[in-house]
Amino acid sequence: RTVRISAWRGGGSRADLFIADLRAAGLDAPIAVILGESAARAAPGEREAVRTFTGSVTRCLRDAGLPHVVIADSDVSPASLEGRKIIILPHNPSMPEAAVRAVAGRIGAGGKLISFYGIPPPIAAAAGVEIGQHFRERSPGEFGTIRFVDPPIAGMPGSVPQGSWNILDARPLPGRGRIAALWDSRDGRPTGRAAVVATDSGFHVTH
Protein backbone atom coordinates (compact mmCIF):
# COMPACT_ATOMS: atom_id res chain seq x y z
CA ARG A 1 0.00 0.00 0.00
CA THR A 2 1.06 3.59 -0.64
CA VAL A 3 0.66 6.41 1.86
CA ARG A 4 0.57 9.87 0.31
CA ILE A 5 0.99 12.92 2.51
CA SER A 6 0.10 16.32 1.08
CA ALA A 7 0.58 19.38 3.27
CA TRP A 8 -1.06 22.69 2.36
CA ARG A 9 1.46 25.48 1.87
CA GLY A 10 0.79 28.31 4.31
CA GLY A 11 3.54 30.68 3.26
CA GLY A 12 6.90 31.09 1.58
CA SER A 13 9.11 30.27 4.59
CA ARG A 14 10.83 26.99 5.40
CA ALA A 15 8.81 24.61 7.53
CA ASP A 16 9.17 21.16 9.08
CA LEU A 17 6.42 18.56 9.07
CA PHE A 18 6.33 16.06 11.93
CA ILE A 19 4.17 12.94 11.76
CA ALA A 20 3.53 10.57 14.64
CA ASP A 21 1.25 7.65 15.41
CA LEU A 22 0.44 7.07 11.73
CA ARG A 23 -2.48 4.67 11.32
CA ALA A 24 -5.45 4.04 9.08
CA ALA A 25 -8.60 5.86 10.14
CA GLY A 26 -12.12 6.11 8.80
CA LEU A 27 -11.89 3.00 6.66
CA ASP A 28 -15.39 1.93 7.69
CA ALA A 29 -16.85 5.44 8.14
CA PRO A 30 -20.37 5.71 6.68
CA ILE A 31 -19.73 9.23 5.33
CA ALA A 32 -17.20 10.05 2.61
CA VAL A 33 -16.20 13.66 1.95
CA ILE A 34 -14.65 14.05 -1.50
CA LEU A 35 -11.74 16.50 -1.66
CA GLY A 36 -11.66 18.37 -4.98
CA GLU A 37 -7.95 17.87 -5.49
CA SER A 38 -8.15 17.75 -9.29
CA ALA A 39 -10.12 21.01 -9.50
CA ALA A 40 -7.56 22.75 -7.28
CA ARG A 41 -4.74 21.41 -9.42
CA ALA A 42 -6.34 22.31 -12.75
CA ALA A 43 -7.43 25.81 -11.69
CA PRO A 44 -5.20 27.33 -8.98
CA GLY A 45 -7.90 29.90 -8.31
CA GLU A 46 -10.09 27.08 -6.95
CA ARG A 47 -7.50 25.91 -4.43
CA GLU A 48 -8.61 28.18 -1.60
CA ALA A 49 -12.30 27.43 -2.21
CA VAL A 50 -11.63 23.67 -2.11
CA ARG A 51 -9.67 23.99 1.11
CA THR A 52 -12.18 26.31 2.79
CA PHE A 53 -15.39 24.49 1.90
CA THR A 54 -14.00 21.01 2.56
CA GLY A 55 -12.73 22.23 5.91
CA SER A 56 -16.12 23.72 6.78
CA VAL A 57 -17.90 20.44 6.04
CA THR A 58 -15.47 18.26 7.97
CA ARG A 59 -15.53 20.67 10.93
CA CYS A 60 -19.34 20.42 11.08
CA LEU A 61 -19.15 16.63 10.94
CA ARG A 62 -16.58 16.54 13.74
CA ASP A 63 -18.64 18.92 15.87
CA ALA A 64 -21.67 16.67 15.38
CA GLY A 65 -19.67 13.57 16.27
CA LEU A 66 -20.30 11.95 12.88
CA PRO A 67 -17.56 9.55 11.72
CA HIS A 68 -16.31 10.33 8.24
CA VAL A 69 -13.38 9.94 5.91
CA VAL A 70 -11.92 12.45 3.43
CA ILE A 71 -11.00 10.93 0.05
CA ALA A 72 -9.16 12.85 -2.67
CA ASP A 73 -11.12 12.68 -5.92
CA SER A 74 -8.09 11.14 -7.63
CA ASP A 75 -8.41 8.21 -5.20
CA VAL A 76 -12.16 7.70 -5.55
CA SER A 77 -13.14 4.28 -6.85
CA PRO A 78 -16.05 1.86 -6.40
CA ALA A 79 -13.98 0.08 -3.76
CA SER A 80 -13.30 3.28 -1.79
CA LEU A 81 -17.02 4.09 -1.73
CA GLU A 82 -18.23 0.57 -1.00
CA GLY A 83 -20.57 0.63 1.99
CA ARG A 84 -20.61 4.42 2.32
CA LYS A 85 -24.09 5.63 3.17
CA ILE A 86 -23.51 9.32 2.41
CA ILE A 87 -21.17 11.04 -0.05
CA ILE A 88 -20.54 14.77 0.36
CA LEU A 89 -19.22 17.01 -2.43
CA PRO A 90 -18.27 20.31 -0.70
CA HIS A 91 -16.78 21.98 -3.78
CA ASN A 92 -16.20 19.71 -6.76
CA PRO A 93 -16.84 21.63 -9.99
CA SER A 94 -14.79 19.06 -11.89
CA MET A 95 -13.67 15.52 -11.11
CA PRO A 96 -11.78 12.71 -12.84
CA GLU A 97 -14.04 10.57 -15.02
CA ALA A 98 -13.33 7.49 -12.89
CA ALA A 99 -14.44 9.35 -9.77
CA VAL A 100 -17.59 10.62 -11.48
CA ARG A 101 -18.53 7.08 -12.50
CA ALA A 102 -17.83 5.75 -9.02
CA VAL A 103 -19.92 8.40 -7.25
CA ALA A 104 -22.81 8.06 -9.73
CA GLY A 105 -22.63 4.30 -9.33
CA ARG A 106 -22.75 4.50 -5.54
CA ILE A 107 -25.81 6.75 -5.73
CA GLY A 108 -27.43 4.28 -8.10
CA ALA A 109 -26.75 1.53 -5.58
CA GLY A 110 -28.58 3.40 -2.81
CA GLY A 111 -26.00 5.81 -1.43
CA LYS A 112 -27.12 9.35 -0.62
CA LEU A 113 -25.51 12.56 -1.84
CA ILE A 114 -25.09 15.98 -0.25
CA SER A 115 -23.64 18.43 -2.77
CA PHE A 116 -23.01 22.12 -3.21
CA TYR A 117 -22.93 24.54 -6.15
CA GLY A 118 -21.58 22.99 -9.36
CA ILE A 119 -21.22 19.22 -9.72
CA PRO A 120 -20.49 17.01 -12.75
CA PRO A 121 -23.66 16.38 -14.82
CA PRO A 122 -23.60 12.54 -14.52
CA ILE A 123 -23.58 12.85 -10.73
CA ALA A 124 -26.37 15.43 -10.80
CA ALA A 125 -28.46 13.16 -13.03
CA ALA A 126 -27.89 10.15 -10.75
CA ALA A 127 -29.02 12.24 -7.77
CA GLY A 128 -32.15 13.51 -9.55
CA VAL A 129 -30.94 17.10 -9.90
CA GLU A 130 -30.87 19.35 -12.96
CA ILE A 131 -28.28 22.13 -12.71
CA GLY A 132 -29.46 25.36 -14.29
CA GLN A 133 -28.30 28.89 -14.97
CA HIS A 134 -25.68 30.87 -13.09
CA PHE A 135 -26.92 33.98 -11.27
CA ARG A 136 -24.76 36.63 -9.63
CA GLU A 137 -26.25 38.90 -6.98
CA ARG A 138 -27.50 42.16 -8.45
CA SER A 139 -27.16 43.95 -5.13
CA PRO A 140 -25.41 43.07 -1.84
CA GLY A 141 -27.41 40.59 0.21
CA GLU A 142 -29.71 39.43 -2.59
CA PHE A 143 -28.92 35.80 -1.68
CA GLY A 144 -28.72 36.47 2.04
CA THR A 145 -31.16 33.97 3.54
CA ILE A 146 -32.07 30.32 2.94
CA ARG A 147 -35.78 29.95 3.74
CA PHE A 148 -37.17 26.43 4.06
CA VAL A 149 -40.63 25.78 2.65
CA ASP A 150 -43.41 23.37 3.55
CA PRO A 151 -43.42 20.49 4.16
CA PRO A 152 -40.61 21.16 6.63
CA ILE A 153 -37.54 18.93 6.83
CA ALA A 154 -37.25 17.40 10.29
CA GLY A 155 -34.74 19.23 12.45
CA MET A 156 -34.31 22.19 10.11
CA PRO A 157 -34.88 25.79 11.25
CA GLY A 158 -37.27 28.00 9.35
CA SER A 159 -34.43 29.97 7.81
CA VAL A 160 -30.64 30.22 7.80
CA PRO A 161 -28.58 33.40 7.21
CA GLN A 162 -26.12 33.02 4.33
CA GLY A 163 -23.93 35.46 2.43
CA SER A 164 -23.82 34.06 -1.10
CA TRP A 165 -22.71 36.29 -3.96
CA ASN A 166 -23.73 33.87 -6.71
CA ILE A 167 -25.68 30.66 -7.24
CA LEU A 168 -26.15 27.90 -9.79
CA ASP A 169 -29.90 27.48 -10.03
CA ALA A 170 -31.17 23.90 -9.81
CA ARG A 171 -34.37 21.90 -9.79
CA PRO A 172 -35.33 18.27 -9.20
CA LEU A 173 -35.77 16.00 -12.17
CA PRO A 174 -39.45 15.07 -12.75
CA GLY A 175 -40.71 12.68 -10.10
CA ARG A 176 -37.46 12.72 -8.12
CA GLY A 177 -38.01 15.40 -5.50
CA ARG A 178 -38.87 19.00 -4.67
CA ILE A 179 -37.43 22.41 -3.89
CA ALA A 180 -36.97 22.35 -0.12
CA ALA A 181 -35.72 25.92 0.37
CA LEU A 182 -35.65 29.22 -1.52
CA TRP A 183 -33.31 32.18 -1.49
CA ASP A 184 -34.54 35.38 0.13
CA SER A 185 -32.59 38.60 0.37
CA ARG A 186 -30.99 39.66 3.61
CA ASP A 187 -34.01 41.86 4.34
CA GLY A 188 -36.55 39.12 3.54
CA ARG A 189 -37.44 39.78 -0.11
CA PRO A 190 -38.14 36.54 -2.01
CA THR A 191 -35.98 35.84 -5.06
CA GLY A 192 -37.87 32.77 -6.28
CA ARG A 193 -34.56 30.92 -6.77
CA ALA A 194 -33.98 27.46 -5.34
CA ALA A 195 -31.54 27.23 -2.44
CA VAL A 196 -31.92 23.55 -1.51
CA VAL A 197 -33.21 20.74 -3.72
CA ALA A 198 -34.32 17.56 -1.93
CA THR A 199 -34.54 14.34 -3.94
CA ASP A 200 -34.86 10.64 -3.27
CA SER A 201 -31.05 10.54 -3.36
CA GLY A 202 -30.19 13.39 -1.01
CA PHE A 203 -29.81 17.17 -0.98
CA HIS A 204 -28.22 19.72 -3.27
CA VAL A 205 -27.44 23.31 -2.22
CA THR A 206 -27.17 25.86 -5.03
CA HIS A 207 -24.18 27.70 -3.52
Side-chain angles (χ1 to χ4, degrees):
R1 293 180 178 270
T2 300
V3 176
R4 182 179 61 180
I5 298 171
S6 177
W8 288 97
R9 178 180 176 183
S13 59
R14 178 182 173 83
D16 295 314
L17 175 65
F18 296 93
I19 299 173
D21 194 22
L22 185 65
R23 65 189 188 279
L27 296 180
D28 58 351
I31 302 172
V33 181
I34 309 303
L35 175 67
E37 186 179 73
S38 61
R41 187 166 53 243
E46 294 283 5
R47 187 174 295 128
E48 183 63 21
V50 168
R51 185 192 68 81
T52 298
F53 298 137
T54 304
S56 295
V57 166
T58 54
R59 184 168 58 252
C60 289
L61 293 172
R62 284 196 303 271
D63 290 348
L66 296 174
H68 60 281
V69 61
V70 178
I71 306 174
D73 58 9
S74 56
D75 294 329
V76 170
S77 66
S80 70
L81 299 181
E82 182 67 30
R84 311 290 182 194
K85 295 181 179 180
I86 299 172
I87 299 169
I88 302 179
L89 302 182
H91 185 63
N92 305 77
S94 63
M95 295 170 64
E97 289 186 12
V100 171
R101 289 194 298 270
V103 171
R106 184 67 201 134
I107 296 169
K112 303 301 183 184
L113 179 74
I114 299 174
S115 55
F116 298 83
Y117 197 54
I119 57 176
I123 295 177
V129 176
E130 178 185 350
I131 304 297
Q133 186 177 350
H134 176 266
F135 291 95
R136 185 175 294 276
E137 65 177 5
R138 293 168 296 183
S139 59
E142 181 178 10
F143 303 119
T145 304
I146 295 175
R147 174 175 53 84
F148 289 90
V149 299
D150 290 332
I153 298 173
M156 286 291 187
S159 64
V160 177
Q162 169 71 22
S164 295
W165 58 94
N166 63 351
I167 65 169
L168 269 177
D169 204 16
R171 68 184 68 188
L173 292 174
R176 293 291 303 272
R178 66 184 181 92
I179 293 175
L182 295 166
W183 289 105
D184 285 356
S185 67
R186 190 182 301 148
D187 55 6
R189 289 179 288 109
T191 69
R193 303 293 180 192
V196 179
V197 176
T199 74
D200 50 18
S201 292
F203 297 93
H204 177 74
V205 183
T206 59
H207 179 84

